[in-house]
PDB file of all heavy atoms in Angstrom:
ATOM      1  N   MET A   1      93.168 100.546  97.121  1.00  0.00           N
ATOM      2  CA  MET A   1      92.042 100.454  96.194  1.00  0.00           C
ATOM      3  C   MET A   1      92.383 101.036  94.830  1.00  0.00           C
ATOM      4  O   MET A   1      92.256 100.365  93.809  1.00  0.00           O
ATOM      5  CB  MET A   1      90.827 101.178  96.775  1.00  0.00           C
ATOM      6  CG  MET A   1      90.109 100.415  97.881  1.00  0.00           C
ATOM      7  SD  MET A   1      89.482  98.775  97.375  1.00  0.00           S
ATOM      8  CE  MET A   1      88.372  99.216  96.041  1.00  0.00           C
ATOM      9  N   LEU A   2      92.800 102.302  94.805  1.00  0.00           N
ATOM     10  CA  LEU A   2      93.054 102.970  93.524  1.00  0.00           C
ATOM     11  C   LEU A   2      94.342 102.467  92.866  1.00  0.00           C
ATOM     12  O   LEU A   2      94.370 102.163  91.676  1.00  0.00           O
ATOM     13  CB  LEU A   2      93.121 104.480  93.728  1.00  0.00           C
ATOM     14  CG  LEU A   2      91.854 105.119  94.333  1.00  0.00           C
ATOM     15  CD1 LEU A   2      92.044 106.615  94.493  1.00  0.00           C
ATOM     16  CD2 LEU A   2      90.637 104.812  93.479  1.00  0.00           C
ATOM     17  N   GLY A   3      95.406 102.389  93.670  1.00  0.00           N
ATOM     18  CA  GLY A   3      96.668 101.892  93.120  1.00  0.00           C
ATOM     19  C   GLY A   3      96.540 100.461  92.634  1.00  0.00           C
ATOM     20  O   GLY A   3      97.068 100.099  91.576  1.00  0.00           O
ATOM     21  N   GLY A   4      95.838  99.645  93.409  1.00  0.00           N
ATOM     22  CA  GLY A   4      95.645  98.259  93.011  1.00  0.00           C
ATOM     23  C   GLY A   4      94.897  98.132  91.695  1.00  0.00           C
ATOM     24  O   GLY A   4      95.271  97.340  90.819  1.00  0.00           O
ATOM     25  N   ARG A   5      93.841  98.911  91.548  1.00  0.00           N
ATOM     26  CA  ARG A   5      93.067  98.864  90.302  1.00  0.00           C
ATOM     27  C   ARG A   5      93.891  99.369  89.121  1.00  0.00           C
ATOM     28  O   ARG A   5      93.790  98.843  88.018  1.00  0.00           O
ATOM     29  CB  ARG A   5      91.786  99.695  90.446  1.00  0.00           C
ATOM     30  CG  ARG A   5      90.794  99.141  91.456  1.00  0.00           C
ATOM     31  CD  ARG A   5      90.236  97.810  91.029  1.00  0.00           C
ATOM     32  NE  ARG A   5      89.250  97.956  89.970  1.00  0.00           N
ATOM     33  CZ  ARG A   5      88.852  96.977  89.177  1.00  0.00           C
ATOM     34  NH1 ARG A   5      89.405  95.772  89.302  1.00  0.00           N
ATOM     35  NH2 ARG A   5      87.932  97.180  88.246  1.00  0.00           N
ATOM     36  N   LEU A   6      94.736 100.375  89.371  1.00  0.00           N
ATOM     37  CA  LEU A   6      95.555 100.927  88.292  1.00  0.00           C
ATOM     38  C   LEU A   6      96.557  99.911  87.750  1.00  0.00           C
ATOM     39  O   LEU A   6      96.888  99.929  86.560  1.00  0.00           O
ATOM     40  CB  LEU A   6      96.294 102.179  88.776  1.00  0.00           C
ATOM     41  CG  LEU A   6      95.452 103.452  88.894  1.00  0.00           C
ATOM     42  CD1 LEU A   6      96.275 104.574  89.514  1.00  0.00           C
ATOM     43  CD2 LEU A   6      94.913 103.885  87.519  1.00  0.00           C
ATOM     44  N   ILE A   7      97.056  99.023  88.603  1.00  0.00           N
ATOM     45  CA  ILE A   7      98.025  98.028  88.137  1.00  0.00           C
ATOM     46  C   ILE A   7      97.342  96.743  87.677  1.00  0.00           C
ATOM     47  O   ILE A   7      98.015  95.755  87.366  1.00  0.00           O
ATOM     48  CB  ILE A   7      99.073  97.704  89.216  1.00  0.00           C
ATOM     49  CG1 ILE A   7      98.434  96.969  90.392  1.00  0.00           C
ATOM     50  CG2 ILE A   7      99.796  98.943  89.676  1.00  0.00           C
ATOM     51  CD1 ILE A   7      99.443  96.324  91.318  1.00  0.00           C
ATOM     52  N   GLY A   8      96.005  96.742  87.675  1.00  0.00           N
ATOM     53  CA  GLY A   8      95.284  95.608  87.091  1.00  0.00           C
ATOM     54  C   GLY A   8      94.753  94.582  88.057  1.00  0.00           C
ATOM     55  O   GLY A   8      94.324  93.499  87.631  1.00  0.00           O
ATOM     56  N   LEU A   9      94.740  94.865  89.360  1.00  0.00           N
ATOM     57  CA  LEU A   9      94.165  93.913  90.310  1.00  0.00           C
ATOM     58  C   LEU A   9      92.646  93.928  90.191  1.00  0.00           C
ATOM     59  O   LEU A   9      92.040  94.953  89.869  1.00  0.00           O
ATOM     60  CB  LEU A   9      94.558  94.272  91.747  1.00  0.00           C
ATOM     61  CG  LEU A   9      96.055  94.371  92.073  1.00  0.00           C
ATOM     62  CD1 LEU A   9      96.254  94.583  93.574  1.00  0.00           C
ATOM     63  CD2 LEU A   9      96.799  93.136  91.604  1.00  0.00           C
ATOM     64  N   ASP A  10      92.006  92.785  90.457  1.00  0.00           N
ATOM     65  CA  ASP A  10      90.553  92.786  90.468  1.00  0.00           C
ATOM     66  C   ASP A  10      90.065  93.440  91.762  1.00  0.00           C
ATOM     67  O   ASP A  10      90.857  93.727  92.665  1.00  0.00           O
ATOM     68  CB  ASP A  10      89.982  91.373  90.292  1.00  0.00           C
ATOM     69  CG  ASP A  10      90.395  90.415  91.413  1.00  0.00           C
ATOM     70  OD1 ASP A  10      90.560  90.873  92.567  1.00  0.00           O
ATOM     71  OD2 ASP A  10      90.540  89.211  91.142  1.00  0.00           O
ATOM     72  N   ARG A  11      88.772  93.705  91.845  1.00  0.00           N
ATOM     73  CA  ARG A  11      88.242  94.477  92.969  1.00  0.00           C
ATOM     74  C   ARG A  11      88.437  93.786  94.317  1.00  0.00           C
ATOM     75  O   ARG A  11      88.823  94.438  95.294  1.00  0.00           O
ATOM     76  CB  ARG A  11      86.769  94.804  92.720  1.00  0.00           C
ATOM     77  CG  ARG A  11      86.593  95.793  91.559  1.00  0.00           C
ATOM     78  CD  ARG A  11      85.154  95.981  91.157  1.00  0.00           C
ATOM     79  NE  ARG A  11      84.409  96.659  92.212  1.00  0.00           N
ATOM     80  CZ  ARG A  11      83.239  96.254  92.676  1.00  0.00           C
ATOM     81  NH1 ARG A  11      82.682  95.158  92.202  1.00  0.00           N
ATOM     82  NH2 ARG A  11      82.623  96.942  93.595  1.00  0.00           N
ATOM     83  N   PRO A  12      88.191  92.470  94.442  1.00  0.00           N
ATOM     84  CA  PRO A  12      88.464  91.821  95.731  1.00  0.00           C
ATOM     85  C   PRO A  12      89.932  91.911  96.147  1.00  0.00           C
ATOM     86  O   PRO A  12      90.236  92.093  97.333  1.00  0.00           O
ATOM     87  CB  PRO A  12      88.027  90.369  95.490  1.00  0.00           C
ATOM     88  CG  PRO A  12      87.003  90.455  94.412  1.00  0.00           C
ATOM     89  CD  PRO A  12      87.503  91.550  93.512  1.00  0.00           C
ATOM     90  N   GLN A  13      90.854  91.793  95.190  1.00  0.00           N
ATOM     91  CA  GLN A  13      92.278  91.897  95.516  1.00  0.00           C
ATOM     92  C   GLN A  13      92.640  93.312  95.953  1.00  0.00           C
ATOM     93  O   GLN A  13      93.368  93.502  96.938  1.00  0.00           O
ATOM     94  CB  GLN A  13      93.127  91.490  94.310  1.00  0.00           C
ATOM     95  CG  GLN A  13      93.128  90.011  93.997  1.00  0.00           C
ATOM     96  CD  GLN A  13      93.942  89.691  92.767  1.00  0.00           C
ATOM     97  OE1 GLN A  13      93.988  90.464  91.806  1.00  0.00           O
ATOM     98  NE2 GLN A  13      94.613  88.542  92.771  1.00  0.00           N
ATOM     99  N   ALA A  14      92.156  94.316  95.210  1.00  0.00           N
ATOM    100  CA  ALA A  14      92.442  95.703  95.562  1.00  0.00           C
ATOM    101  C   ALA A  14      91.856  96.032  96.929  1.00  0.00           C
ATOM    102  O   ALA A  14      92.488  96.722  97.749  1.00  0.00           O
ATOM    103  CB  ALA A  14      91.870  96.645  94.500  1.00  0.00           C
ATOM    104  N   PHE A  15      90.645  95.555  97.206  1.00  0.00           N
ATOM    105  CA  PHE A  15      90.024  95.749  98.516  1.00  0.00           C
ATOM    106  C   PHE A  15      90.885  95.139  99.614  1.00  0.00           C
ATOM    107  O   PHE A  15      91.108  95.742 100.666  1.00  0.00           O
ATOM    108  CB  PHE A  15      88.632  95.100  98.513  1.00  0.00           C
ATOM    109  CG  PHE A  15      87.971  95.042  99.872  1.00  0.00           C
ATOM    110  CD1 PHE A  15      87.318  96.154 100.400  1.00  0.00           C
ATOM    111  CD2 PHE A  15      88.007  93.879 100.625  1.00  0.00           C
ATOM    112  CE1 PHE A  15      86.721  96.091 101.654  1.00  0.00           C
ATOM    113  CE2 PHE A  15      87.419  93.809 101.867  1.00  0.00           C
ATOM    114  CZ  PHE A  15      86.769  94.924 102.384  1.00  0.00           C
ATOM    115  N   THR A  16      91.392  93.945  99.362  1.00  0.00           N
ATOM    116  CA  THR A  16      92.211  93.252 100.362  1.00  0.00           C
ATOM    117  C   THR A  16      93.511  93.997 100.629  1.00  0.00           C
ATOM    118  O   THR A  16      93.933  94.144 101.791  1.00  0.00           O
ATOM    119  CB  THR A  16      92.512  91.819  99.886  1.00  0.00           C
ATOM    120  OG1 THR A  16      91.281  91.125  99.679  1.00  0.00           O
ATOM    121  CG2 THR A  16      93.348  91.068 100.916  1.00  0.00           C
ATOM    122  N   VAL A  17      94.174  94.474  99.570  1.00  0.00           N
ATOM    123  CA  VAL A  17      95.407  95.239  99.761  1.00  0.00           C
ATOM    124  C   VAL A  17      95.125  96.518 100.541  1.00  0.00           C
ATOM    125  O   VAL A  17      95.894  96.910 101.428  1.00  0.00           O
ATOM    126  CB  VAL A  17      96.051  95.579  98.396  1.00  0.00           C
ATOM    127  CG1 VAL A  17      97.242  96.524  98.583  1.00  0.00           C
ATOM    128  CG2 VAL A  17      96.507  94.306  97.689  1.00  0.00           C
ATOM    129  N   ALA A  18      93.998  97.169 100.241  1.00  0.00           N
ATOM    130  CA  ALA A  18      93.616  98.377 100.979  1.00  0.00           C
ATOM    131  C   ALA A  18      93.429  98.077 102.458  1.00  0.00           C
ATOM    132  O   ALA A  18      93.873  98.842 103.322  1.00  0.00           O
ATOM    133  CB  ALA A  18      92.335  98.965 100.390  1.00  0.00           C
ATOM    134  N   ILE A  19      92.782  96.973 102.758  1.00  0.00           N
ATOM    135  CA  ILE A  19      92.575  96.576 104.151  1.00  0.00           C
ATOM    136  C   ILE A  19      93.913  96.318 104.836  1.00  0.00           C
ATOM    137  O   ILE A  19      94.133  96.725 105.986  1.00  0.00           O
ATOM    138  CB  ILE A  19      91.679  95.325 104.231  1.00  0.00           C
ATOM    139  CG1 ILE A  19      90.231  95.687 103.864  1.00  0.00           C
ATOM    140  CG2 ILE A  19      91.722  94.702 105.627  1.00  0.00           C
ATOM    141  CD1 ILE A  19      89.552  96.615 104.840  1.00  0.00           C
ATOM    142  N   GLU A  20      94.825  95.651 104.139  1.00  0.00           N
ATOM    143  CA  GLU A  20      96.136  95.368 104.725  1.00  0.00           C
ATOM    144  C   GLU A  20      96.898  96.656 105.024  1.00  0.00           C
ATOM    145  O   GLU A  20      97.633  96.745 106.015  1.00  0.00           O
ATOM    146  CB  GLU A  20      96.960  94.492 103.770  1.00  0.00           C
ATOM    147  CG  GLU A  20      96.538  93.046 103.740  1.00  0.00           C
ATOM    148  CD  GLU A  20      96.746  92.346 105.061  1.00  0.00           C
ATOM    149  OE1 GLU A  20      97.817  92.514 105.680  1.00  0.00           O
ATOM    150  OE2 GLU A  20      95.826  91.635 105.497  1.00  0.00           O
ATOM    151  N   LEU A  21      96.727  97.664 104.169  1.00  0.00           N
ATOM    152  CA  LEU A  21      97.414  98.937 104.391  1.00  0.00           C
ATOM    153  C   LEU A  21      96.724  99.768 105.460  1.00  0.00           C
ATOM    154  O   LEU A  21      97.364 100.573 106.142  1.00  0.00           O
ATOM    155  CB  LEU A  21      97.467  99.732 103.077  1.00  0.00           C
ATOM    156  CG  LEU A  21      98.308  99.134 101.951  1.00  0.00           C
ATOM    157  CD1 LEU A  21      98.203  99.982 100.696  1.00  0.00           C
ATOM    158  CD2 LEU A  21      99.756  98.992 102.371  1.00  0.00           C
ATOM    159  N   GLY A  22      95.425  99.604 105.603  1.00  0.00           N
ATOM    160  CA  GLY A  22      94.673 100.426 106.555  1.00  0.00           C
ATOM    161  C   GLY A  22      94.590  99.854 107.950  1.00  0.00           C
ATOM    162  O   GLY A  22      94.576 100.594 108.938  1.00  0.00           O
ATOM    163  N   ILE A  23      94.526  98.539 108.074  1.00  0.00           N
ATOM    164  CA  ILE A  23      94.397  97.884 109.386  1.00  0.00           C
ATOM    165  C   ILE A  23      95.766  97.384 109.803  1.00  0.00           C
ATOM    166  O   ILE A  23      96.228  96.334 109.354  1.00  0.00           O
ATOM    167  CB  ILE A  23      93.390  96.725 109.329  1.00  0.00           C
ATOM    168  CG1 ILE A  23      92.056  97.211 108.773  1.00  0.00           C
ATOM    169  CG2 ILE A  23      93.201  96.126 110.715  1.00  0.00           C
ATOM    170  CD1 ILE A  23      91.355  98.245 109.624  1.00  0.00           C
ATOM    171  N   LYS A  24      96.414  98.136 110.658  1.00  0.00           N
ATOM    172  CA  LYS A  24      97.800  97.827 111.019  1.00  0.00           C
ATOM    173  C   LYS A  24      97.917  97.162 112.386  1.00  0.00           C
ATOM    174  O   LYS A  24      96.956  97.124 113.165  1.00  0.00           O
ATOM    175  CB  LYS A  24      98.635  99.110 111.002  1.00  0.00           C
ATOM    176  CG  LYS A  24      98.910  99.607 109.606  1.00  0.00           C
ATOM    177  CD  LYS A  24      99.885 100.769 109.630  1.00  0.00           C
ATOM    178  CE  LYS A  24     100.491 100.974 108.265  1.00  0.00           C
ATOM    179  NZ  LYS A  24     101.373  99.883 107.836  1.00  0.00           N
ATOM    180  N   ASN A  25      99.090  96.649 112.654  1.00  0.00           N
ATOM    181  CA  ASN A  25      99.373  96.035 113.953  1.00  0.00           C
ATOM    182  C   ASN A  25      99.693  97.142 114.955  1.00  0.00           C
ATOM    183  O   ASN A  25     100.845  97.421 115.270  1.00  0.00           O
ATOM    184  CB  ASN A  25     100.548  95.060 113.833  1.00  0.00           C
ATOM    185  CG  ASN A  25     100.711  94.193 115.066  1.00  0.00           C
ATOM    186  OD1 ASN A  25     100.235  94.544 116.146  1.00  0.00           O
ATOM    187  ND2 ASN A  25     101.371  93.069 114.914  1.00  0.00           N
ATOM    188  N   GLY A  26      98.624  97.794 115.443  1.00  0.00           N
ATOM    189  CA  GLY A  26      98.800  98.900 116.384  1.00  0.00           C
ATOM    190  C   GLY A  26      99.444  98.473 117.682  1.00  0.00           C
ATOM    191  O   GLY A  26     100.162  99.248 118.330  1.00  0.00           O
ATOM    192  N   THR A  27      99.200  97.226 118.088  1.00  0.00           N
ATOM    193  CA  THR A  27      99.815  96.715 119.318  1.00  0.00           C
ATOM    194  C   THR A  27     101.329  96.710 119.207  1.00  0.00           C
ATOM    195  O   THR A  27     102.037  97.046 120.161  1.00  0.00           O
ATOM    196  CB  THR A  27      99.311  95.286 119.606  1.00  0.00           C
ATOM    197  OG1 THR A  27      97.887  95.296 119.674  1.00  0.00           O
ATOM    198  CG2 THR A  27      99.865  94.773 120.932  1.00  0.00           C
TER     199      THR A  27
END
């Protein structure tokens, strides 16, 4: 979220990157 916004991503993109980093392939 924060890093994405700092490099100029829009909010939906930053949200998506945050989700990708937070929701991992635990299996």
Side-chain angles (χ1 to χ4, degrees):
M1 284 301 300
L2 301 180
R5 294 294 285 162
L6 284 174
I7 68 166
L9 303 186
D10 61 32
R11 292 172 68 228
Q13 288 178 325
F15 171 81
T16 301
V17 173
I19 289 294
E20 284 296 315
L21 294 177
I23 306 296
K24 287 187 162 293
N25 191 339
T27 304

